[in-house]
Amino acid sequence: MLPFTVNFKVSARTLTGALNAHNKAAVDWGWQGLIAYGCHSLVVVIDSNTAQTLQVLEKHKADVVKVKWARENYHHNIGSPYSLRLASADVNGKIIVWDVAAGVAQCEIQEHAKPIQDVQWLWNQDASRDLLLAIHPPNYIVLWNADTGTKLWKKSYADNILSFSFDPFDPSHLTLLTSEGIVFISDFSPSKPPSGPGKKVYISSPHSSPAHNKLAAATGAKKALNKVKILITQEKPSAEFITLNDCLQLAYLPSKRNHMLLLYPREILILDLEVNQTVGVIAIERTGVPFLQVIPCFQRDGLFCLHENGCITLRVRRSYNSIFTTSNEEPDPDPVQELTYDLRSQCDAIRVTKTVRPFSMVCCPVNENAAALIVSDGRVMIWELKSAVCNRNSRSSSSGVSPLYSPVSFCGIPVGVLQNKLPDLSLDNMIGQSAIAGEEHPKGPILQEVHLRFLLTGLLSGLPSPQFAIRMCPPLTTKNIKVYQPLLAVGTSNGSVLVYHLTSGLLHKELSVHSCEVKGIEWTSLTGFLSFATSTPNNMGLVRNELQLVDLPTGRSIAFRGERGNDESPIEMIKVSHLKQYLAVVFKDKPLELWDVRTCTILREMSKNFPAITALEWSPSHNLKSLRKKQLATREAMARQTVVSDTELSIVESSVISLLQEAESKSELSQNISAREHFVFTDNDGQVYHLTVEGNSVKDSARIPPDGSMGSITCIAWKGDTLVLGDMDGNLNFWDLKGRVSRGIPTHRSWVRKIRFAPGKGNQKLIAMYNDGAEVWDTKEVQMVSSLRSGRNVTFRILDVDWCTSDKVILASDDGCIRVLEMSMKSTCFRMDEQELTEPVWCPYLLVPRASLALKAFLLHQPWNGQYSLDISQVDYPENEEIKNLLQEQLNSLSNDIKKLLLDPEFTLLQRCLLVSRLYGDESELHFWTVAAHYLHSLSQEKPAGTPASKETMPRDKVNNPLDICYDILCENAYFQKFQLERVNLQEVKRSTYDHTRKCTDQLLLLGQKQEDAVFKASASKF
């Protein structure tokens, strides 16, 4: 017999759904490669590569408004290891710092009880990597030590602070966006609060600017926008010119120093902070879709923009040497150089409704080649940028957009056309730098024109909005262990039924079954269920009842009651018998119906004088065993009559036994055996009725008078010799049928809405659901095991309950989530390394510090091997074997493209260092190896250059492949000078004051321009 393995382990987890309006800006993509976002009071962590939920953090008591991953801008070693740290803030002013891998809160911070406006980790982590800056309403900024929760300093300002942005080039510069304008702080320090109130400037609207209105009648909107001059002033403008709430966002450009963007619904302003002038305007046409958010890139001068229809666009700065007009336009006699950002790619929009709209967008900080869109209905859509080399014939020079070229280098070093590379690794490996004014792109076979496109590579869907009706599939037994899957059916308000696999937490199937809200679900087998839904009542109180039988493997759904269901009393509940033979359908104002589940035929429709049912439950006892014995005896007798030899008799007897075992596993469906089963129900007076069903025969067995201590019975549960009743007053009545003893317990919890026994032989635990929570009881000892009350221990209200396994419960709540909890019903997070995932996840942060550093060293350098290998099994690793297996799992989870690069013998050590820093999301090493690889390669090329001819070609190669301008003063002198000249030329065009003119003249002189030329340029541009 071949061995088999079945994975039916179910861990505690939370299935999340639609988001709250407070969660709109609560999302962040960390350097660690993980995305975190807020869902009501939860923080959800997903893997960006596989779109799997890795962690759900639950400790906040209010809606989460901000989440921020800790930066990785420090040297990692055994004392400062790779770790998953996340800060989350809620509307009650609480900030929690998490150890995400362990699922525990490291620190809790509370200053005021008002929503946190913004929170960020300090990017300069030389002094400490634990510093967190937060805006506490209305006008305080507070610096916290996120490791200890200590408040380092607190500073107040005159205006309400909305958000802030750190200068990525100078850690002492901080800019605040306030309700009145902008405040520039130039003395930010972790050791002490800023000294003064900062430099306060005001924002004038681009629509209402006098210069804008004056030139609006010129030749087109393009010229009008180019001529906009002063948009920042230290004098407060008049009321009609000011726009305080229109500014959606403020952010520094990480691609070049002293540049900032301001986001408005219909335009993006690019500001040069040296002269406080706009040097670029990105405007949307009147018919265009307004902006919601923008994320500037650092590797290239580009912008990821989110629009109100959920479309993400990428805009890249135009190369100045490629500015031209189309053949249909007249040449501009007075061309104005301005920062122009061309639309390079856009993804598909989503269908926006009243309840479905885009919330926020985040961009991969490591590679800047992917963006994730968070939608209000709980969806996370991950869009990746892909580059494609375009043919010369397909180039459209008449479009007015300068071409994009592939970069000369890959992972910091120039490579040939035939060399192995991965162009989609990051944005700076997809497209080269935009050419500076007066500079031409080099020509040659290496330079290839590329086009960019967005591709949807990940989609995570959440639960729909409540209400929910949940039902766990039949429990695991020794008979179904080979085929068992822990499936949970969730009925939704839109009529669909979602089936989740609780081992992985992933959606197994989504079935559109009904046209209205699903009220209840009952499983008929491991692969099928019955669900019912009722429409909105008409004036007479009648509805359309839908009762569907669904086959899960095929998705086929049939109307169980046939043509019945129109204009009748609503179904209150459905109950399937213990052997899945019979179905009881209970109506509000209509007699009970009994059906045969196997044949979908009605057995009995009770008479009109049949008592109204308030609660019903099937008995677990039946006569199937005695029927099997009779059937076995009959078959043996038939076999003896037809078989002559003893050997044949033994063969037939064994086959009969195997047939019986098969029939037993299929609940006798194929044998058409109708076992006798029982059910009990109660009427409005509390009287208990006991009925017996066998085939199409229904007999009234006994009636038990009502218990005077009980109110109107609302639910019944029956297991073994224990019967439990719950009433509208919150009382539970425990009946010991064997000892003929009953015991009433007042819970003082109001209406008992549902009670259900846990699965498992001899397991007498019971869960009870009330209006304000739930309780778990031990019916053997008749005592409460655990309790959960809305408003006291939790903020959500429970909608439905069920048992997942013998020791875990399932709670559906009004915050749109479904929680699988231990029997204690305490909301606890889980360890990420204990999760059962369907796809392997690359995340070395989950390893212990020594192991993650060992894996990094293994990827970088293997001196013991003649060639690189990704098999760590042969390495003598001093730690235990389990750690070694975890390292191999991480190596196996790498993509084939990355593995191909790592195994390539021509892939140099410098390139390998840069690639591994990207894989680890190591911010400090990524910047270090980018600069180091560039200059080390340049140095290695200069050494053998002995001939004059080779010396002449070296500078040209440097110009063709300069260090990115985001590294500012670390760039080559000539390239940095050209960039600064281009910038001064832009500043010249925007001059409006004598001080501005003098500053431009000084800059030109410092950049090596002749004094006469500098003065002439400044004077000429003035006129």
Side-chain angles (χ1 to χ4, degrees):
M1 181 179 175
L2 294 174
F4 65 93
T5 57
V6 180
N7 187 6
F8 45 77
K9 177 186 175 184
V10 177
S11 304
R13 65 169 64 250
T14 303
L15 306 177
T16 56
L19 310 185
N20 187 287
H22 289 133
N23 304 136
K24 185 170 184 177
V27 60
D28 193 31
W29 192 327
W31 280 84
Q32 304 85 348
L34 305 180
I35 300 171
Y37 66 94
C39 176
H40 293 265
S41 61
L42 308 174
V43 179
V44 186
V45 178
I46 67 172
D47 176 45
S48 58
N49 290 320
T50 61
Q52 295 181 101
T53 301
L54 304 181
Q55 178 69 280
V56 180
L57 304 168
E58 185 166 8
K59 197 175 179 70
H60 285 283
K61 299 298 183 185
D63 292 334
V64 175
V65 292
K66 290 287 178 183
V67 293
K68 287 291 178 183
W69 286 102
R71 301 288 289 263
E72 297 294 326
N73 194 20
Y74 60 92
H75 175 62
H76 296 78
N77 53 33
I78 199 69
S80 301
Y82 293 98
S83 61
L84 295 176
R85 266 201 312 175
L86 178 74
S88 58
D90 63 27
V91 294
N92 285 348
K94 175 170 278 192
I95 301 173
I96 299 179
V97 180
W98 301 90
D99 177 353
V100 178
V104 297
Q106 289 182 328
C107 175
E108 295 186 35
I109 297 168
Q110 182 91 44
E111 177 72 7
H112 299 291
K114 293 182 180 180
I116 301 294
Q117 286 292 108
D118 203 357
V119 62
Q120 281 188 36
W121 298 82
L122 268 60
W123 66 264
N124 183 16
Q125 298 181 310
D126 293 340
S128 170
R129 54 192 177 92
D130 302 318
L131 302 182
L132 190 69
L133 188 69
I135 299 177
H136 294 268
N139 57 354
Y140 295 99
I141 61 170
V142 183
L143 185 66
W144 299 93
N145 184 318
D147 186 45
T148 61
T150 307
K151 181 166 61 176
L152 302 181
W153 52 255
K154 180 178 180 180
K155 171 78 174 177
S156 64
Y157 288 87
D159 302 326
N160 293 348
I161 307 172
L162 306 177
S163 65
F164 64 88
S165 179
F166 277 108
D167 187 341
F169 295 92
D170 190 344
S172 66
H173 286 182
L174 174 70
T175 303
L176 309 177
L177 178 65
T178 70
S179 56
E180 290 285 321
I182 297 176
V183 176
F184 291 102
I185 299 169
S186 57
D187 60 344
F188 181 86
S189 170
S191 58
K192 59 180 181 180
S195 55
K199 177 185 175 183
K200 188 172 181 180
V201 296
Y202 298 93
I203 311 168
S204 295
S205 167
H207 288 306
S208 57
S209 167
H212 193 122
N213 293 335
K214 181 180 177 182
L215 296 167
T219 56
K222 178 183 174 184
K223 284 190 175 182
L225 291 173
N226 284 341
K227 304 287 185 180
V228 174
K229 290 190 176 180
I230 300 175
L231 281 176
I232 295 188
T233 173
Q234 288 182 284
E235 298 176 3
K236 189 171 182 179
S238 57
E240 63 267 19
F241 288 158
I242 199 161
T243 60
L244 304 179
N245 300 321
D246 284 352
C247 187
L248 303 177
Q249 186 184 342
L250 169 150
Y252 280 92
L253 293 189
S255 57
K256 48 193 175 186
R257 183 187 286 269
N258 286 330
H259 283 75
M260 176 181 283
L261 67 82
L262 297 178
L263 175 67
Y264 287 82
R266 304 203 70 85
E267 49 262 310
I268 301 171
L269 308 184
I270 310 295
L271 313 175
D272 189 327
L273 298 181
E274 277 194 355
V275 291
N276 285 354
Q277 301 284 339
T278 58
V279 290
V281 179
I282 304 168
I284 293 181
E285 299 175 358
R286 289 185 178 180
T287 56
V289 183
F291 292 112
L292 271 183
Q293 187 187 353
V294 62
I295 299 176
C297 305
F298 85 91
Q299 299 175 21
R300 293 289 176 263
D301 194 356
L303 306 172
F304 281 93
C305 306
L306 174 63
H307 299 259
E308 287 184 356
N309 61 352
C311 177
I312 298 174
T313 59
L314 174 65
R315 297 172 183 268
V316 181
R317 183 176 71 83
R318 181 183 298 180
S319 300
Y320 288 129
N321 63 332
S322 301
I323 295 179
F324 53 83
T325 57
T326 63
S327 56
N328 298 328
E329 290 181 354
E330 294 182 5
D332 194 340
D334 182 25
V336 175
Q337 284 189 345
E338 187 172 68
L339 291 181
T340 307
Y341 289 80
D342 294 319
L343 179 63
R344 295 298 184 176
S345 183
Q346 66 182 45
C347 72
D348 296 331
I350 64 171
R351 185 182 177 188
V352 178
T353 64
K354 288 183 179 179
T355 56
V356 179
R357 58 192 184 279
F359 262 11
S360 193
M361 167 189 67
V362 281
C363 175
C364 173
V366 183
N367 300 318
E368 296 187 324
N369 63 347
L373 173 65
I374 311 297
V375 189
S376 61
D377 61 3
R379 276 180 295 166
V380 180
M381 306 173 73
I382 300 173
W383 294 92
E384 277 193 28
L385 268 179
K386 300 294 181 182
S387 62
V389 177
C390 58
N391 301 323
R392 296 192 177 186
N393 298 332
S394 64
R395 296 177 184 174
S396 53
S397 59
S398 61
S399 63
V401 177
S402 58
L404 291 177
Y405 293 101
S406 61
V408 178
S409 62
F410 174 68
C411 280
I413 294 179
V415 295
V417 178
L418 300 178
Q419 213 163 339
N420 186 25
K421 60 181 179 178
L422 182 59
D424 293 340
L425 177 66
S426 61
L427 186 62
D428 59 351
N429 285 301
M430 285 185 190
I431 56 175
Q433 302 174 40
S434 301
I436 291 177
E439 193 180 309
E440 288 293 331
H441 270 297
K443 305 297 180 184
I446 296 179
L447 215 59
Q448 296 175 312
E449 187 178 341
V450 292
H451 285 174
L452 302 178
R453 61 188 175 91
F454 278 107
L455 187 67
L456 184 66
T457 58
L459 175 63
L460 187 70
S461 298
L463 288 162
S465 55
Q467 296 281 337
F468 294 136
I470 61 173
R471 194 72 168 102
M472 190 67 187
C473 69
L476 174 72
T477 64
T478 54
K479 297 169 187 173
N480 63 21
I481 190 170
K482 291 185 179 181
V483 296
Y484 181 78
Q485 295 185 88
L487 301 179
L488 173 71
V490 182
T492 64
S493 57
N494 60 12
S496 62
V497 177
L498 310 179
V499 181
Y500 282 88
H501 197 297
L502 290 187
T503 297
S504 62
L506 296 177
L507 182 64
H508 179 65
K509 284 200 176 180
E510 181 175 359
L511 305 166
S512 183
V513 181
H514 299 281
S515 61
C516 44
E517 182 183 331
V518 180
K519 299 289 188 180
I521 299 172
E522 287 286 321
W523 289 80
T524 58
S525 67
L526 285 175
T527 59
F529 59 83
L530 282 159
S531 60
F532 76 94
T534 58
S535 65
T536 306
N538 59 19
N539 295 335
M540 300 176 65
L542 303 179
V543 300
R544 181 184 70 260
N545 286 317
E546 299 176 0
L547 180 59
Q548 298 290 121
L549 178 62
V550 180
D551 180 55
L552 198 55
T554 62
R556 186 187 176 203
S557 173
I558 60 171
F560 187 82
R561 298 176 68 230
E563 299 298 325
R564 298 168 181 247
N566 291 323
D567 293 332
E568 62 178 1
S569 177
I571 296 176
E572 291 265 289
M573 72 178 95
I574 60 172
K575 292 282 186 177
V576 176
S577 66
H578 186 74
L579 294 177
K580 315 300 182 190
Q581 295 185 117
Y582 310 116
L583 170 71
V585 183
V586 179
F587 298 86
K588 184 179 180 181
D589 297 314
K590 185 182 173 183
L592 171 75
E593 289 181 359
L594 284 174
W595 290 76
D596 190 321
V597 174
R598 300 164 297 182
T599 60
C600 300
T601 55
I602 189 166
L603 299 176
R604 177 72 66 88
E605 184 175 2
M606 300 305 178
S607 59
K608 290 185 178 180
N609 59 357
F610 194 80
I613 297 175
T614 59
L616 183 146
E617 182 64 298
W618 287 90
S619 166
S621 62
H622 50 77
N623 67 338
L624 185 60
K625 287 185 178 180
S626 61
L627 284 176
R628 283 176 181 163
K629 288 180 181 178
K630 290 179 183 178
Q631 188 187 46
L632 179 60
T634 305
R635 289 191 178 185
E636 286 179 350
M638 290 174 62
R640 288 190 181 93
Q641 290 176 6
T642 56
V643 177
V644 179
S645 65
D646 293 338
T647 57
E648 291 177 348
L649 178 61
S650 62
I651 293 171
V652 171
E653 284 181 348
S654 64
S655 65
V656 167
I657 292 170
S658 65
L659 280 171
L660 285 173
Q661 290 173 345
E662 183 182 355
E664 183 182 352
S665 66
K666 295 180 179 178
S667 300
E668 303 296 327
L669 291 179
S670 61
Q671 305 300 328
N672 291 324
I673 296 177
S674 293
R676 183 172 62 248
E677 296 196 73
H678 318 266
F679 69 90
V680 294
F681 70 88
T682 55
D683 61 11
N684 290 326
D685 299 326
Q687 185 166 227
V688 181
Y689 298 78
H690 182 204
L691 274 71
T692 304
V693 184
E694 186 171 9
N696 57 3
S697 168
V698 181
K699 295 179 182 177
D700 188 354
S701 298
R703 298 186 185 185
I704 303 170
D707 187 338
S709 63
M710 295 283 287
S712 178
I713 306 298
T714 55
C715 47
I716 307 173
W718 192 347
K719 185 174 183 179
D721 295 324
T722 306
L723 186 73
V724 182
L725 297 88
D727 68 5
M728 294 195 73
D729 301 324
N731 299 312
L732 292 176
N733 205 320
F734 299 85
W735 289 12
D736 182 353
L737 300 178
K738 194 173 183 179
R740 297 188 178 184
V741 177
S742 70
R743 181 177 173 184
I745 303 289
T747 65
H748 310 291
R749 293 285 295 264
S750 74
W751 179 22
V752 183
R753 297 175 58 195
K754 181 178 287 188
I755 51 177
R756 189 158 282 164
F757 274 102
K761 190 175 182 179
N763 187 358
Q764 293 297 110
K765 300 293 190 300
L766 174 104
I767 188 167
M769 182 177 79
Y770 309 94
N771 276 337
D772 62 345
E775 290 176 346
V776 175
W777 285 77
D778 184 347
T779 59
K780 279 185 181 177
E781 306 295 331
V782 193
Q783 64 180 13
M784 187 176 67
V785 176
S786 60
S787 174
L788 182 144
R789 192 185 291 265
S790 300
R792 184 177 296 178
N793 356 40
V794 294
T795 56
F796 52 82
R797 186 174 62 87
I798 294 176
L799 303 176
D800 203 356
V801 298
D802 201 357
W803 288 92
C804 174
T805 59
S806 58
D807 60 345
K808 289 185 177 66
V809 299
I810 308 173
L811 307 179
S813 51
D814 65 346
D815 62 356
C817 299
I818 294 177
R819 294 167 172 82
V820 180
L821 302 174
E822 301 291 340
M823 205 184 303
S824 62
M825 293 194 293
K826 290 182 179 178
S827 298
T828 56
C829 310
F830 44 80
R831 289 192 59 86
M832 285 174 62
D833 52 12
E834 294 176 356
Q835 282 299 98
E836 298 288 337
L837 300 173
T838 55
E839 292 183 63
V841 170
W842 165 261
C843 188
Y845 290 77
L846 296 179
L847 300 170
V848 294
R850 186 181 295 276
S852 63
L853 293 170
L855 177 61
K856 182 179 176 182
F858 179 79
L859 290 171
L860 287 174
H861 194 40
Q862 299 178 13
W864 60 88
N865 276 342
Q867 59 183 11
Y868 278 93
S869 167
L870 294 179
D871 184 7
I872 207 168
S873 60
Q874 305 302 322
V875 179
D876 184 19
Y877 187 63
E879 303 289 340
N880 60 40
E881 197 66 24
E882 185 181 350
I883 296 290
K884 202 169 176 181
N885 294 334
L886 292 174
L887 293 177
Q888 190 60 56
E889 286 178 12
Q890 285 293 308
L891 290 169
N892 295 340
S893 67
L894 290 168
S895 69
N896 291 332
D897 291 330
I898 297 295
K899 289 178 182 176
K900 187 178 178 181
L901 283 176
L902 291 170
L903 295 174
D904 185 0
E906 295 186 8
F907 200 58
T908 66
L909 181 60
L910 280 174
Q911 290 176 306
R912 196 175 296 274
C913 290
L914 194 52
L915 177 62
V916 171
S917 67
R918 286 191 184 278
L919 291 176
Y920 269 69
D922 194 324
E923 186 176 358
S924 113
E925 287 203 358
L926 177 63
H927 296 318
F928 172 80
W929 285 115
T930 300
V931 177
H934 178 81
Y935 283 109
L936 286 173
H937 175 75
S938 299
L939 185 64
S940 68
Q941 296 298 309
E942 287 176 3
K943 280 184 178 179
T947 63
S950 61
K951 288 181 181 178
E952 288 176 6
T953 58
M954 285 305 117
R956 191 180 303 160
D957 181 59
K958 277 189 177 182
V959 172
N960 292 350
N961 185 38
L963 187 65
D964 295 340
I965 200 64
C966 62
Y967 292 103
D968 200 44
I969 57 175
L970 297 177
C971 296
E972 289 89 351
N973 292 345
Y975 187 70
F976 184 78
Q977 183 184 22
K978 285 185 178 180
F979 171 75
Q980 293 298 331
L981 276 172
E982 173 197 272
R983 184 180 175 193
V984 175
N985 289 333
L986 282 174
Q987 292 176 357
E988 267 195 309
V989 177
K990 307 294 182 180
R991 283 186 306 109
S992 58
T993 63
Y994 172 73
D995 288 338
H996 191 170
T997 303
R998 189 175 61 182
K999 183 178 285 189
C1000 289
T1001 307
D1002 293 343
Q1003 293 273 21
L1004 289 167
L1005 290 171
L1006 288 171
L1007 290 167
Q1009 302 295 297
K1010 293 180 181 179
Q1011 184 172 1
E1012 296 82 3
D1013 294 342
V1015 175
F1016 175 75
K1017 274 188 175 184
S1019 304
S1021 60
K1022 186 176 181 181
F1023 299 102

